């Protein structure tokens, strides 16, 4: 019998020095593209600039399982991303992983 898996949603924000946010967003654009293309356990991966705060990046990730999320952190593109953003100044972060018990369409 196959193990039961539950979707994982990661949501929150990251704040960077105003001058570093655009550099971080560029690196996240490439990371997101590679994550969506190369990781079958990734259902969605979106990092966006908050239009009301020049420091804030909003985070949304949707994974098929905790295992898929854990494996994400071992990929070559995560290593490339970390090297690309080394030295940027993060001012704060609030990220939460949610285990999805049930989902339904809104419309």
């Amino acid at each position: 019998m196959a193990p039961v898996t539950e979707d994982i949603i990661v949501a929150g924000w990251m704040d960077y020095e105003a001058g570093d946010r655009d550099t971080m967003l560029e690196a996240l654009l490439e990371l997101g593209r590679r994550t969506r293309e190369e990781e079958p356990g990734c259902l969605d991966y979106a990092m966006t600039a908050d239009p009301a705060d020049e420091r804030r990046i909003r985070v949304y990730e949707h994974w098929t399982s905790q295992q898929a999320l854990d494996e994400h952190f071992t990929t070559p593109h995560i290593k490339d991303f970390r090297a690309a953003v080394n030295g940027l100044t993060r001012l704060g972060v609030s990220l939460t992983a949610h285990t999805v018990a049930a989902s339904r369409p809104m419309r």
Side-chain angles (χ1 to χ4, degrees):
M1 175 184 257
V4 174
T5 61
E6 296 174 312
D7 286 11
I8 302 293
I9 302 288
V10 176
W13 54 266
M14 301 180 293
D15 284 351
Y16 284 85
E17 287 283 345
D20 286 346
R21 184 181 80 166
D22 288 345
T23 303
M24 175 56 79
L25 283 167
E26 287 178 27
L28 286 167
L29 180 67
E30 176 64 11
L31 175 62
R33 182 189 66 75
R34 289 182 66 188
T35 297
R36 288 186 302 272
E37 289 176 1
E38 299 174 22
E39 296 185 58
C42 178
L43 301 173
D44 198 2
Y45 198 88
M47 312 299 173
T48 59
D50 186 319
D53 186 336
E54 68 181 10
R55 302 167 308 153
R56 185 152 291 178
I57 297 170
R58 295 285 176 182
V59 176
Y60 175 82
E61 304 174 27
H62 187 178
W63 298 90
T64 57
S65 66
Q66 183 62 51
Q67 180 180 346
L69 176 57
D70 292 344
E71 289 172 0
H72 168 66
F73 293 110
T74 68
T75 62
H77 45 275
I78 277 287
K79 291 178 179 78
D80 293 345
F81 165 76
R82 288 181 175 154
V85 300
N86 186 32
L88 298 182
T89 302
R90 184 165 69 188
L91 302 173
V93 62
S94 176
L95 295 172
T96 305
H98 306 271
T99 302
V100 179
S103 298
R104 61 178 169 71
M106 294 282 296
R107 296 183 185 253

